[in-house]
Amino acid sequence: MKNYKNEKSLFVALLGCTICLMFTLMYLGGFKSLTYFLGSEAIYDFPETDMIKNAKGWEYHEEENGYYIVKNNAVNKYRVDRYVRTWKYLYLTISNCSVSEVHAILEYYDKEKNILKEQPIVIYNGENEIELNETIEIYRIGIRIRDAKGIFFSMDSMEIRSEKAGFSWQKFYECMGMSLLICGCVIFMGYSVRKKYVNTENYALEKNTGLLYILQSLYVLQGNIVGKKAIQKCRKIDRKVTVEILLCVFFAWILFFEIMGWTKGESYRYFSLGCAVILFACGCLLWKKEWKNTGVMSSVLKSWYGLWIMMALSDVFKEDGEKFFSYVMIFSAGFFIFAYNQRFKADAVICLFLRALEIDYVLVVLFCIFFRPKIITVYYNGICRRPEDFAMYALLIFALFVWKIYGLIDNDASYLQWIGYGMGAASALYFVLRSGGVVAKIALILVAITYLYGCVYIWVKKRVSFRYRWKQILTAIAFSFLCVVVIHISVKYLPDILQTTVVFEDEQLVSVLPEDELQLYQQMFPITLENVTSKDTINVMGSWKNYARMMGLYGNATQIYRNREPVQAYNGYLDLMYHYGIFAVIPFVLYQIYGFCISLKKCRRFFGKKNPYIFVLCVNIIFTVFCVFGNASVNFGNIAVWCYFLFNGVYFKE
């Protein structure tokens, strides 16, 4: 009963906070639209590079972070958005101005650089709201300052809008605070009335006759009919080995479609259909005897299904885009998880997945060696289009092999096992360090700390001495070092020598260098570093702002653009709320909390044994870190995301 009450309280708290956030955004947007809470007007944020660029008479000083006007007729021009259109308001924020006001002229330009209109404006310290001529279509604007030589100011931000801005952080904090206060009072009153007048003692906590019980009954029916017939046809084969082979095919299917760029667009239906068929086939082959629906509904299970149901509801309202993958998760992935929970314990289930991941990782390493060269000063993308995605996958593989090594510590193992697992862990670590930025390193440190704690536990509590295994450890280190050297040299030179380099369409190439140093390298290697951007140009706060202002009730399938380029959310929660609606975040957060807490509880109970819970805990850590600081959400082209949503299925019976 206690766990049930805690679970319900957490759900009510998250629901209340989400409703308060929705009401606040709708209030600031004038209650105009449920699709876009803050309004559907067009907004363009000028990039940070526009705030520091030199122009005629405008001289930027990096040390003082501002402009000096060095001519009596100084003008700076700015390109506006991707399309020529009309605008109503320009918001310009400046600071550290050496005079009380700056008299300037705002110039409207067309594509041919002709001046369409000149509008006198006055600029002050702080945010300046400038009303534009909404009848003129603008391609470029210019700010001309005359007879003001020697003045200094810093330009903090500039945005142009089709409607007047209704959002400000002060209004947001005030409205959100008031909403939370009212919501807290309503919840308190509701609990008080419920405690006084409603009998809450008799709850059927284990049984559930609702939607999830019906769904699991459908799984039982499918298994007992389809699974039984499949077993009768496949009596002569080893079904466990067949499932392992199918899982290898499943992960290879994901890798192939991701490499080809077919996880989105017209090929999306074939990708989702293949995933659904393979998982359903695996579930059928796991049938052994008559299945029964126990009716156990764990917190992880309910939040898992809640997420896909919310996504399915969002897909109904969206007009285009990749839709209805939630049905694959409910009817195929859910069926597969239900099947392996009927037959195996947690360690056997995870071992099925890990063997498949190990085999496919060999293919990944070979593909990287022969087809994907490492570009100088650029994060390594590997089999993915973005370095962050490959770092996430490499971290998953690193956690896999370290878990394998972790299981060898208090068991007798051959040299071959130590060498194989050591080489796998070392090569995955190499890929993490070559492809990952700060986010990947944070996740790597947390994973390392988790396993280190386990090793210390074995050393102290079980009194296992490492001195009897120093030969195996040193041999594994030596072979791992040689493996990393071979991979490093291969990805650096081999694809160019064999002329087998594969370049992905829409690939994001991010340099580790700051913008000024990258420009020097681009002058030396113009072809190699073409289309490479500096990590400093990635404006995470700007991306958060763009996704937050486009948040709605139903979700959107369209891509968000910033500075005429498609942008990522750099936050999994914002990405989920934008694409699937604001309420989809509730089961998503609950799933993360429950999965992490149960993994931690299991690890504390079973530390020192070769069990999968420490590995599942690491999978939860990796996904959560990339979700908070990166783009991990429901990107099904990434194997690490699939593993996160499939591995926690071992807790569905808890």
Side-chain angles (χ1 to χ4, degrees), residues 377-436:
T377 77
V378 176
Y379 287 120
Y380 189 56
N381 288 3
I383 58 171
C384 303
R385 281 165 170 72
R386 294 183 296 126
E388 177 190 313
D389 291 339
F390 189 60
M392 191 175 177
Y393 169 75
L395 264 171
L396 173 74
I397 301 300
F398 173 74
L400 185 161
F401 283 110
V402 174
W403 178 69
K404 292 280 190 178
I405 296 172
Y406 177 79
L408 300 179
I409 294 175
D410 59 344
N411 294 292
D412 293 330
S414 64
Y415 278 90
L416 190 60
Q417 287 178 297
W418 280 95
I419 292 171
Y421 297 153
M423 290 170 62
S427 60
L429 178 62
Y430 168 80
F431 284 134
V432 171
L433 297 177
R434 298 297 277 181
S435 61

Coordinates of all heavy atoms in Angstrom, one line a residue, residues 377-436:
T377 N 40.5 17.2 -36.2 CA 39.8 18.2 -35.3 C 38.3 18.0 -35.2 O 37.6 18.8 -34.6 CB 40.1 19.6 -35.8 OG1 39.3 20.0 -36.9 CG2 41.6 19.9 -36.1
V378 N 37.8 16.9 -35.8 CA 36.3 16.7 -35.8 C 35.9 15.5 -35.0 O 36.6 14.5 -35.0 CB 35.8 16.5 -37.3 CG1 34.3 16.2 -37.3 CG2 36.1 17.8 -38.1
Y379 N 34.9 15.7 -34.2 CA 34.3 14.6 -33.4 C 34.0 13.4 -34.4 O 33.4 13.7 -35.5 CB 33.1 15.0 -32.6 CG 33.4 15.8 -31.4 CD1 32.8 17.1 -31.3 CD2 34.2 15.4 -30.4 CE1 33.1 17.9 -30.2 CE2 34.4 16.2 -29.3 CZ 33.9 17.5 -29.2 OH 34.1 18.3 -28.1
Y380 N 34.2 12.2 -33.9 CA 34.0 11.0 -34.8 C 32.6 10.6 -34.8 O 32.0 10.4 -33.7 CB 34.9 9.9 -34.3 CG 35.0 8.7 -35.3 CD1 35.3 8.9 -36.6 CD2 34.6 7.4 -34.8 CE1 35.4 7.8 -37.4 CE2 34.7 6.3 -35.7 CZ 35.1 6.5 -37.0 OH 35.1 5.5 -37.8
N381 N 32.0 10.5 -36.0 CA 30.6 10.1 -36.1 C 30.3 8.6 -36.2 O 29.2 8.2 -35.9 CB 29.9 10.8 -37.3 CG 29.7 12.3 -37.1 OD1 30.1 12.8 -36.1 ND2 29.1 13.0 -38.1
G382 N 31.3 7.9 -36.6 CA 31.2 6.4 -36.7 C 30.1 6.0 -37.6 O 30.0 6.5 -38.8
I383 N 29.2 5.2 -37.1 CA 28.1 4.7 -38.0 C 26.9 5.7 -38.0 O 25.9 5.4 -38.6 CB 27.6 3.3 -37.5 CG1 27.1 3.4 -36.0 CG2 28.7 2.3 -37.7 CD1 26.5 2.2 -35.5
C384 N 27.0 6.8 -37.2 CA 25.8 7.7 -37.1 C 26.1 9.0 -37.8 O 27.2 9.2 -38.3 CB 25.6 8.0 -35.6 SG 25.3 6.5 -34.6
R385 N 25.1 9.8 -37.8 CA 25.2 11.1 -38.5 C 25.6 12.2 -37.5 O 25.9 13.3 -38.0 CB 23.8 11.5 -39.2 CG 23.6 10.8 -40.5 CD 22.2 10.8 -41.0 NE 22.1 10.3 -42.3 CZ 22.3 9.0 -42.7 NH1 22.5 8.1 -41.7 NH2 22.2 8.7 -43.9
R386 N 25.5 11.9 -36.3 CA 25.9 12.9 -35.3 C 26.8 12.3 -34.2 O 26.6 11.1 -33.9 CB 24.7 13.5 -34.6 CG 23.8 14.4 -35.5 CD 22.6 15.0 -34.7 NE 21.7 14.0 -34.2 CZ 21.3 13.9 -33.0 NH1 21.8 14.7 -32.1 NH2 20.5 12.9 -32.6
P387 N 27.8 12.9 -33.8 CA 28.8 12.3 -32.8 C 28.1 11.9 -31.5 O 28.5 10.9 -30.9 CB 29.8 13.4 -32.6 CG 29.2 14.7 -33.1 CD 28.2 14.3 -34.1
E388 N 27.1 12.7 -31.1 CA 26.4 12.4 -29.8 C 25.8 11.0 -29.9 O 25.8 10.2 -28.9 CB 25.4 13.4 -29.5 CG 24.6 13.2 -28.3 CD 23.4 14.1 -28.2 OE1 23.6 15.3 -28.4 OE2 22.3 13.7 -27.9
D389 N 25.2 10.7 -31.0 CA 24.5 9.4 -31.2 C 25.5 8.2 -31.1 O 25.2 7.2 -30.5 CB 23.7 9.3 -32.5 CG 22.5 10.2 -32.5 OD1 22.0 10.6 -31.4 OD2 22.1 10.6 -33.6
F390 N 26.6 8.4 -31.8 CA 27.6 7.3 -31.8 C 28.3 7.2 -30.4 O 28.6 6.1 -30.0 CB 28.7 7.6 -32.8 CG 29.7 6.5 -33.0 CD1 29.2 5.2 -33.4 CD2 31.0 6.6 -32.8 CE1 30.1 4.1 -33.6 CE2 31.9 5.6 -33.0 CZ 31.4 4.3 -33.3
A391 N 28.5 8.3 -29.7 CA 29.0 8.2 -28.3 C 28.1 7.5 -27.4 O 28.5 6.7 -26.6 CB 29.2 9.7 -27.8
M392 N 26.8 7.7 -27.6 CA 25.8 7.0 -26.8 C 25.8 5.5 -27.0 O 25.8 4.7 -26.1 CB 24.4 7.5 -27.1 CG 23.3 7.1 -26.1 SD 21.8 8.0 -26.5 CE 20.7 7.2 -25.3
Y393 N 25.9 5.1 -28.3 CA 26.0 3.7 -28.7 C 27.3 3.1 -28.1 O 27.3 2.0 -27.6 CB 26.0 3.5 -30.2 CG 26.3 2.1 -30.7 CD1 25.4 1.1 -30.5 CD2 27.6 1.9 -31.3 CE1 25.8 -0.2 -31.0 CE2 27.9 0.6 -31.7 CZ 27.0 -0.4 -31.5 OH 27.3 -1.7 -32.0
A394 N 28.5 3.8 -28.3 CA 29.7 3.3 -27.8 C 29.8 3.1 -26.3 O 30.4 2.2 -25.8 CB 30.9 4.2 -28.3
L395 N 29.1 4.0 -25.6 CA 29.0 3.9 -24.1 C 28.2 2.7 -23.7 O 28.5 2.0 -22.7 CB 28.3 5.2 -23.5 CG 29.3 6.3 -23.0 CD1 28.4 7.5 -22.7 CD2 30.0 5.8 -21.8
L396 N 27.2 2.4 -24.5 CA 26.4 1.2 -24.2 C 27.3 -0.1 -24.4 O 27.3 -1.0 -23.5 CB 25.2 1.1 -25.2 CG 24.4 -0.2 -25.2 CD1 23.6 -0.3 -23.9 CD2 23.5 -0.4 -26.4
I397 N 28.1 -0.1 -25.4 CA 29.0 -1.3 -25.7 C 30.1 -1.3 -24.6 O 30.4 -2.4 -24.1 CB 29.6 -1.2 -27.1 CG1 28.5 -1.2 -28.1 CG2 30.5 -2.3 -27.3 CD1 27.6 -2.4 -28.1
F398 N 30.6 -0.2 -24.2 CA 31.6 -0.1 -23.1 C 31.0 -0.7 -21.8 O 31.7 -1.5 -21.2 CB 32.0 1.3 -22.9 CG 32.9 1.5 -21.7 CD1 34.3 1.1 -21.8 CD2 32.5 2.1 -20.6 CE1 35.1 1.3 -20.7 CE2 33.3 2.2 -19.5 CZ 34.6 1.8 -19.5
A399 N 29.8 -0.3 -21.5 CA 29.2 -0.8 -20.3 C 28.9 -2.3 -20.4 O 29.1 -3.1 -19.4 CB 27.8 -0.1 -20.0
L400 N 28.6 -2.8 -21.6 CA 28.4 -4.2 -21.8 C 29.7 -5.0 -21.5 O 29.7 -6.0 -20.8 CB 28.0 -4.4 -23.3 CG 27.6 -5.8 -23.8 CD1 26.8 -5.7 -25.1 CD2 28.8 -6.7 -24.1
F401 N 30.8 -4.6 -22.1 CA 32.0 -5.4 -22.0 C 32.6 -5.2 -20.5 O 33.2 -6.2 -20.0 CB 33.1 -5.0 -23.0 CG 32.8 -5.5 -24.4 CD1 32.4 -4.7 -25.4 CD2 33.0 -6.9 -24.6 CE1 32.1 -5.2 -26.7 CE2 32.7 -7.4 -25.9 CZ 32.3 -6.6 -26.9
V402 N 32.4 -4.1 -19.9 CA 32.9 -3.9 -18.5 C 32.1 -4.8 -17.6 O 32.6 -5.4 -16.7 CB 32.8 -2.5 -18.1 CG1 33.2 -2.3 -16.6 CG2 33.8 -1.6 -18.9
W403 N 30.8 -5.0 -17.9 CA 30.0 -5.9 -17.1 C 30.5 -7.3 -17.3 O 30.5 -8.1 -16.3 CB 28.5 -5.8 -17.6 CG 27.6 -6.8 -16.8 CD1 27.3 -6.7 -15.5 CD2 27.0 -7.9 -17.4 NE1 26.4 -7.8 -15.2 CE2 26.2 -8.5 -16.3 CE3 27.0 -8.5 -18.6 CZ2 25.5 -9.7 -16.5 CZ3 26.2 -9.7 -18.8 CH2 25.5 -10.3 -17.8
K404 N 30.9 -7.7 -18.5 CA 31.4 -9.0 -18.8 C 32.7 -9.2 -17.9 O 32.9 -10.2 -17.3 CB 31.8 -9.2 -20.2 CG 30.5 -9.3 -21.1 CD 29.9 -10.6 -21.1 CE 28.9 -10.8 -22.2 NZ 28.3 -12.1 -22.2
I405 N 33.6 -8.2 -17.9 CA 34.8 -8.3 -17.1 C 34.5 -8.3 -15.6 O 35.1 -9.1 -14.9 CB 35.7 -7.0 -17.4 CG1 36.2 -7.1 -18.9 CG2 36.9 -7.0 -16.5 CD1 36.9 -5.8 -19.4
Y406 N 33.5 -7.5 -15.2 CA 33.0 -7.5 -13.8 C 32.6 -8.9 -13.4 O 32.9 -9.3 -12.2 CB 31.8 -6.5 -13.7 CG 31.2 -6.5 -12.4 CD1 31.8 -5.7 -11.4 CD2 30.0 -7.1 -12.1 CE1 31.2 -5.6 -10.1 CE2 29.4 -7.0 -10.9 CZ 30.0 -6.2 -9.9 OH 29.4 -6.1 -8.7
G407 N 32.0 -9.7 -14.3 CA 31.6 -11.0 -13.9 C 32.8 -12.0 -13.9 O 32.6 -13.1 -13.3
L408 N 34.0 -11.6 -14.4 CA 35.1 -12.5 -14.4 C 35.9 -12.4 -13.1 O 36.8 -13.3 -12.8 CB 36.0 -12.2 -15.6 CG 35.5 -12.4 -17.0 CD1 36.5 -12.0 -18.0 CD2 35.0 -13.8 -17.2
I409 N 35.7 -11.3 -12.3 CA 36.6 -11.0 -11.2 C 36.6 -12.2 -10.1 O 37.6 -12.6 -9.7 CB 36.2 -9.7 -10.6 CG1 36.5 -8.6 -11.6 CG2 37.0 -9.4 -9.3 CD1 36.0 -7.2 -11.1
D410 N 35.4 -12.6 -9.8 CA 35.3 -13.6 -8.7 C 35.0 -15.0 -9.3 O 34.4 -15.9 -8.6 CB 34.2 -13.2 -7.7 CG 32.9 -13.1 -8.3 OD1 32.8 -12.9 -9.5 OD2 31.9 -13.1 -7.5
N411 N 35.3 -15.2 -10.5 CA 35.1 -16.5 -11.2 C 36.4 -16.9 -12.0 O 37.1 -16.0 -12.4 CB 34.0 -16.5 -12.1 CG 32.6 -16.3 -11.4 OD1 32.2 -17.1 -10.7 ND2 32.0 -15.1 -11.6
D412 N 36.6 -18.1 -12.1 CA 37.8 -18.6 -12.9 C 37.4 -18.4 -14.4 O 36.4 -18.9 -14.8 CB 38.1 -20.1 -12.6 CG 38.6 -20.3 -11.2 OD1 39.2 -19.4 -10.7 OD2 38.3 -21.4 -10.6
A413 N 38.3 -17.8 -15.1 CA 38.0 -17.5 -16.5 C 39.3 -17.7 -17.3 O 40.4 -17.5 -16.8 CB 37.5 -16.1 -16.7
S414 N 39.2 -18.0 -18.6 CA 40.3 -18.3 -19.4 C 41.0 -16.9 -19.9 O 40.3 -15.9 -19.8 CB 39.9 -19.1 -20.6 OG 39.0 -18.3 -21.4
Y415 N 42.2 -17.0 -20.4 CA 42.8 -15.9 -20.9 C 42.1 -15.3 -22.1 O 42.0 -14.1 -22.3 CB 44.3 -16.2 -21.4 CG 45.3 -16.3 -20.3 CD1 45.5 -17.4 -19.5 CD2 46.0 -15.1 -20.0 CE1 46.4 -17.5 -18.5 CE2 46.9 -15.1 -18.9 CZ 47.2 -16.3 -18.2 OH 48.1 -16.3 -17.2
L416 N 41.5 -16.2 -22.9 CA 40.7 -15.7 -24.1 C 39.6 -14.8 -23.7 O 39.3 -13.8 -24.4 CB 40.2 -17.0 -24.8 CG 39.7 -16.7 -26.3 CD1 40.7 -16.1 -27.1 CD2 39.1 -18.0 -26.9
Q417 N 38.9 -15.2 -22.6 CA 37.7 -14.3 -22.2 C 38.2 -12.9 -21.7 O 37.7 -11.9 -22.1 CB 37.0 -15.0 -21.0 CG 36.1 -16.2 -21.5 CD 35.5 -16.9 -20.3 OE1 36.1 -17.4 -19.4 NE2 34.1 -16.9 -20.3
W418 N 39.3 -12.9 -20.9 CA 39.9 -11.6 -20.5 C 40.3 -10.8 -21.7 O 40.0 -9.6 -21.7 CB 41.0 -11.9 -19.5 CG 40.6 -12.2 -18.1 CD1 40.5 -13.5 -17.6 CD2 40.3 -11.3 -17.1 NE1 40.1 -13.4 -16.3 CE2 40.0 -12.1 -15.9 CE3 40.3 -9.9 -17.0 CZ2 39.7 -11.5 -14.7 CZ3 40.0 -9.3 -15.8 CH2 39.7 -10.1 -14.7
I419 N 41.0 -11.4 -22.6 CA 41.5 -10.7 -23.8 C 40.3 -10.2 -24.6 O 40.3 -9.0 -25.0 CB 42.4 -11.6 -24.6 CG1 43.7 -11.9 -23.8 CG2 42.8 -10.9 -26.0 CD1 44.6 -12.9 -24.5
G420 N 39.3 -11.0 -24.9 CA 38.2 -10.6 -25.7 C 37.4 -9.5 -25.2 O 37.1 -8.5 -25.8
Y421 N 37.0 -9.6 -23.9 CA 36.2 -8.6 -23.2 C 37.1 -7.3 -23.1 O 36.5 -6.2 -23.2 CB 35.7 -9.1 -21.9 CG 34.8 -10.3 -22.0 CD1 34.6 -11.2 -21.0 CD2 34.0 -10.5 -23.2 CE1 33.8 -12.3 -21.1 CE2 33.1 -11.5 -23.3 CZ 33.0 -12.4 -22.2 OH 32.2 -13.5 -22.3
G422 N 38.3 -7.5 -22.8 CA 39.2 -6.3 -22.6 C 39.3 -5.5 -23.9 O 39.3 -4.3 -23.9
M423 N 39.5 -6.2 -25.0 CA 39.6 -5.5 -26.3 C 38.3 -4.8 -26.7 O 38.3 -3.7 -27.2 CB 40.0 -6.5 -27.4 CG 41.4 -7.1 -27.3 SD 41.7 -8.5 -28.4 CE 41.5 -7.7 -30.0
G424 N 37.2 -5.5 -26.3 CA 35.9 -4.9 -26.6 C 35.7 -3.6 -25.8 O 35.2 -2.6 -26.3
A425 N 36.0 -3.6 -24.5 CA 35.8 -2.5 -23.7 C 36.8 -1.3 -24.1 O 36.4 -0.2 -24.1 CB 36.1 -2.8 -22.2
A426 N 38.0 -1.7 -24.4 CA 39.0 -0.7 -24.8 C 38.6 0.0 -26.1 O 38.7 1.2 -26.2 CB 40.4 -1.3 -24.9
S427 N 38.2 -0.8 -27.1 CA 37.8 -0.2 -28.4 C 36.6 0.7 -28.2 O 36.5 1.8 -28.8 CB 37.5 -1.3 -29.4 OG 36.5 -2.1 -29.0
A428 N 35.6 0.3 -27.4 CA 34.4 1.1 -27.2 C 34.8 2.4 -26.5 O 34.3 3.5 -26.8 CB 33.4 0.3 -26.4
L429 N 35.7 2.3 -25.5 CA 36.2 3.5 -24.8 C 36.9 4.5 -25.7 O 36.7 5.7 -25.7 CB 37.1 3.1 -23.6 CG 37.7 4.2 -22.8 CD1 36.7 5.1 -22.1 CD2 38.7 3.7 -21.8
Y430 N 37.6 3.9 -26.7 CA 38.3 4.7 -27.7 C 37.2 5.5 -28.5 O 37.4 6.7 -28.7 CB 39.1 3.9 -28.6 CG 39.6 4.5 -29.8 CD1 40.8 5.4 -29.8 CD2 39.0 4.4 -31.1 CE1 41.2 6.0 -30.9 CE2 39.5 5.0 -32.2 CZ 40.6 5.8 -32.1 OH 41.0 6.5 -33.2
F431 N 36.2 4.8 -28.9 CA 35.2 5.5 -29.7 C 34.4 6.5 -28.9 O 34.0 7.6 -29.4 CB 34.2 4.4 -30.3 CG 34.7 3.6 -31.4 CD1 34.5 2.3 -31.4 CD2 35.3 4.2 -32.5 CE1 35.0 1.5 -32.5 CE2 35.8 3.5 -33.5 CZ 35.7 2.1 -33.5
V432 N 34.2 6.3 -27.6 CA 33.5 7.3 -26.8 C 34.4 8.5 -26.7 O 33.9 9.7 -26.9 CB 33.3 6.7 -25.3 CG1 32.8 7.8 -24.4 CG2 32.3 5.6 -25.4
L433 N 35.7 8.4 -26.4 CA 36.5 9.6 -26.3 C 36.7 10.3 -27.6 O 36.9 11.5 -27.6 CB 37.9 9.1 -25.8 CG 37.9 8.5 -24.3 CD1 39.3 8.1 -23.9 CD2 37.3 9.5 -23.3
R434 N 36.7 9.6 -28.8 CA 36.8 10.2 -30.1 C 35.6 10.9 -30.5 O 35.6 11.9 -31.3 CB 37.3 9.2 -31.1 CG 38.6 8.6 -30.8 CD 39.7 9.5 -30.8 NE 40.2 9.8 -32.2 CZ 41.3 10.6 -32.4 NH1 41.9 11.2 -31.5 NH2 41.7 10.8 -33.7
S435 N 34.4 10.5 -30.1 CA 33.2 11.0 -30.6 C 32.4 11.9 -29.6 O 31.5 12.6 -30.0 CB 32.3 9.9 -31.1 OG 32.0 9.0 -30.0
G436 N 32.7 11.7 -28.3 CA 31.9 12.4 -27.3 C 32.5 13.7 -26.8 O 33.7 13.9 -26.7

